[in-house]
Amino acid sequence: MGNFIFHGCDTTELAREFGTPLYVVSEDEITDRIRTVKSCFDEKYERCRTHFASKAFLTRDMLRILMDEGLGLDVVSGGELYLARRMNFPVERIAFHGNSKTVREISEGLEYGVGKFVCDSLGEISLIDEMARAHDVRANILIRVNPGVEGNTHRHMLTSGGRTKFGLSPEAVKNAMPACMKMANVSISGFHFHVGSQLMDASAHLAAVDVLLELIREARSEVGFEAWILDMGGGFGVPYTASDRPIPIEGFIGAMVKRAEEFCALNGIKRPDLIIEPGRYIVGPSGITLYTVCSVKEVPGVTLYAGVDGGYPDNPRPALYEAVYDAVVANKYGEPADRKVTIAGKCCESGDIVIRDIALPPVERGDVIAVLCTGAYNYSMANNYNKTPIPAIVAIKDGCPRISVRRQTYAELYACDPPPDSKAPSVQAV
Ligand SMILES: Cc1ncc(COP(=O)(O)O)c(C=O)c1O
């Protein structure tokens, strides 16, 4: 019985000192997880490299950790690239993803000299070729392939299969290859796939690896294209609740590498360099969110609502993906959890429910709730709905907490609106 301690810090004290809602991340855990991935991939096999999918969580501190640990970086927008540039992230280790890159974003990628563009269509490849010519450079390209397999995850987290907007079918890739190979200012270095997110086992990944290896073999024999990179995406699941039981990350990675090595040996092909790009695995369990209970209301026969001071703006995942989380009452840690409670967010949306029907100790106004495993796609998806400021991030290292990202202010919520007495600028520079 007592207070919930997260990586050496009393979470009730963090809530008091830094206010709520509050994201708390453990830098030690992030580093440990990066090292686990590297030890079973980059350091275990030759020509294997891990990129972090920055969409999962991107701050200056995160970039510093990634640079210290020697990881690569995936970006999907000019904004993510901008932050990486500001931090002097090694440009050759950046891959620029996205199914709908703007001309401006491509130009920024070319100017910075990103290591690779991961392209989603033939049109995008020829646009990059044209723009690279104008910049007098040659761009490295990976083609994103839709392997057509569907993993077992929420439909909004599936990025492969019949209805996805991502990638080209293997057939379309083969048809496009001759044209791509003639383009003077792009160099196609291989293929990419990402089957989806939050997968609990390796079956979809392995099925996709099989499809991509077959494509590599056929592209070689039919159109004379030698792929020297295969990017196998991310998607390695984490346990949000006790019922989520993902296989260990070594299971995903080891099985994919083995499959690639066996196939290549059998077919007399040099195994391509391999890339993985985990996001959630590295940061998900490394973060929690602290809230204060603002209201408690019993709806007889329905549930007991505990309204908190955050919700959809700091974590839209329950609304987007029906995501389920676990939580504890931080100031009543270890007390019997004998009440079913629904933790309700504060927005004017019926769908703004943080957790439905979770067993907790009796909850009162002023209690601090810690929602667990919120390190991935929470801060990065945060928004200002209901003009709610984005919470601060406190980073813990060696048991010491410090502000990593400060809380947004009310004034910042209106910083883009011209003052009432001024003329609005007609063109806005970013
Ligand atoms: C292309 C690509 N790579 C990697 C990732 C990271 O996935 P995860 O965070 O599930 O590892 C994503 C996430 O959607 C993605 O779209």
Side-chain angles (χ1 to χ4, degrees):
M1 312 275 176
N3 294 338
F4 174 54
I5 308 295
F6 184 69
H7 289 273
C9 291
D10 182 329
T11 53
T12 65
E13 279 171 24
L14 294 178
R16 189 156 31 80
E17 187 176 345
F18 300 103
T20 57
L22 184 70
Y23 297 115
V24 183
V25 295
S26 162
E27 291 199 356
D28 302 310
E29 172 106 26
I30 290 175
T31 308
D32 280 356
R33 289 180 156 265
I34 289 174
R35 291 182 184 168
T36 300
V37 174
K38 283 178 65 178
S39 70
C40 56
F41 191 60
D42 311 40
E43 290 156 6
K44 184 160 178 187
Y45 304 102
E46 276 178 14
R47 296 181 289 110
C48 286
R49 174 175 267 301
T50 301
H51 281 214
F52 174 68
S54 71
K55 68 188 73 156
F57 182 73
L58 189 65
T59 65
R60 285 178 185 232
D61 281 333
M62 187 66 203
L63 285 164
R64 177 183 42 75
I65 296 172
L66 296 169
M67 286 193 280
D68 288 350
E69 298 299 318
L71 257 63
L73 187 74
D74 285 358
V75 300
V76 290
S77 73
E80 289 175 352
L81 181 63
Y82 174 79
L83 200 58
R85 291 169 75 170
R86 287 293 301 263
M87 289 293 287
N88 293 322
F89 195 93
V91 62
E92 68 286 357
R93 300 210 309 249
I94 297 180
F96 200 156
H97 290 249
N99 66 300
S100 187
K101 299 178 189 74
T102 65
V103 166
R104 175 181 168 166
E105 286 172 328
I106 293 171
S107 164
E108 287 164 351
L110 289 170
E111 269 158 34
Y112 195 50
V114 291
K116 293 174 215 51
F117 286 90
V118 181
C119 293
D120 212 83
S121 66
L122 182 55
E124 183 191 342
I125 300 171
S126 34
L127 176 61
I128 294 179
D129 179 48
E130 205 178 288
M131 291 177 66
R133 195 167 315 119
H135 281 77
D136 201 16
V137 292
R138 196 148 196 256
N140 262 320
I141 305 282
L142 291 184
I143 301 179
R144 181 161 182 167
V145 180
N146 173 2
V149 302
E150 291 196 359
N152 185 14
T153 188
H154 190 276
R155 66 190 188 288
H156 293 166
M157 287 195 269
L158 271 182
T159 52
S160 156
R163 290 185 56 81
T164 185
K165 66 175 180 175
F166 296 108
L168 295 168
S169 70
E171 216 39 52
V173 172
K174 271 191 289 172
N175 292 338
M177 280 319 293
C180 294
M181 287 160 72
K182 283 199 203 106
M183 294 178 193
N185 289 78
V186 294
S187 161
I188 313 287
S189 39
F191 302 124
H192 166 278
F193 75 83
H194 171 71
V195 276
S197 243
Q198 185 56 2
L199 289 149
M200 294 290 133
D201 65 49
S203 50
H205 285 85
L206 289 176
V209 169
D210 288 346
V211 172
L212 270 281
L213 289 168
E214 190 52 32
L215 171 63
I216 289 173
R217 194 182 66 75
E218 289 175 9
R220 187 170 185 258
S221 61
E222 291 173 26
V223 291
F225 170 69
E226 198 78 49
W228 57 276
I229 297 182
L230 173 60
D231 185 330
M232 308 183 292
F236 318 121
V238 299
Y240 282 97
T241 65
S243 60
D244 291 332
R245 299 216 178 83
I247 62 163
I249 186 122
E250 299 88 319
F252 285 99
I253 297 175
M256 290 196 292
V257 178
K258 187 163 173 265
R259 198 62 78 94
E261 289 189 332
E262 284 173 0
F263 182 95
C264 292
L266 196 68
N267 288 280
I269 303 173
K270 184 179 177 210
R271 185 214 354 108
D273 293 8
L274 299 176
I275 296 176
I276 53 167
E277 37 192 40
R280 188 187 316 271
Y281 175 82
I282 288 172
V283 286
S286 311
I288 60 172
T289 307
L290 302 179
Y291 301 100
T292 301
V293 175
C294 302
S295 68
V296 177
K297 179 174 67 180
E298 175 93 58
V299 178
V302 181
T303 190
L304 178 75
Y305 283 106
V308 294
D309 53 358
Y312 180 85
D314 60 80
N315 184 3
R317 294 194 68 259
L320 278 176
Y321 309 110
E322 299 166 271
V324 180
Y325 287 85
D326 201 359
V328 297
V329 180
N331 51 309
K332 295 174 179 166
Y333 191 59
E335 291 184 20
D338 45 18
R339 266 319 305 260
K340 273 255 163 86
V341 178
T342 291
I343 303 175
K346 75 190 298 300
C347 284
C348 295
E349 284 295 323
S350 288
D352 184 16
I353 298 293
V354 182
I355 305 175
R356 209 173 274 284
D357 289 334
I358 179 175
L360 291 177
V363 181
E364 297 156 287
R365 187 180 158 78
D367 282 346
V368 174
I369 304 256
V371 176
L372 312 180
C373 202
T374 61
Y377 305 103
N378 278 223
Y379 171 69
S380 60
M381 285 190 166
N383 60 83
N384 291 130
Y385 185 48
N386 286 172
K387 287 292 183 206
T388 310
I390 292 175
I393 303 176
V394 162
I396 302 174
K397 189 165 168 38
D398 299 327
C400 298
R402 65 175 169 78
I403 287 284
S404 174
V405 175
R406 70 159 170 77
R407 190 176 299 279
Q408 233 180 4
T409 63
Y410 284 150
E412 281 166 331
L413 296 176
Y414 288 95
C416 300
D417 300 24
D421 52 352
S422 75
K423 276 205 186 134
S426 53
V427 178
Q428 173 78 48
V430 179

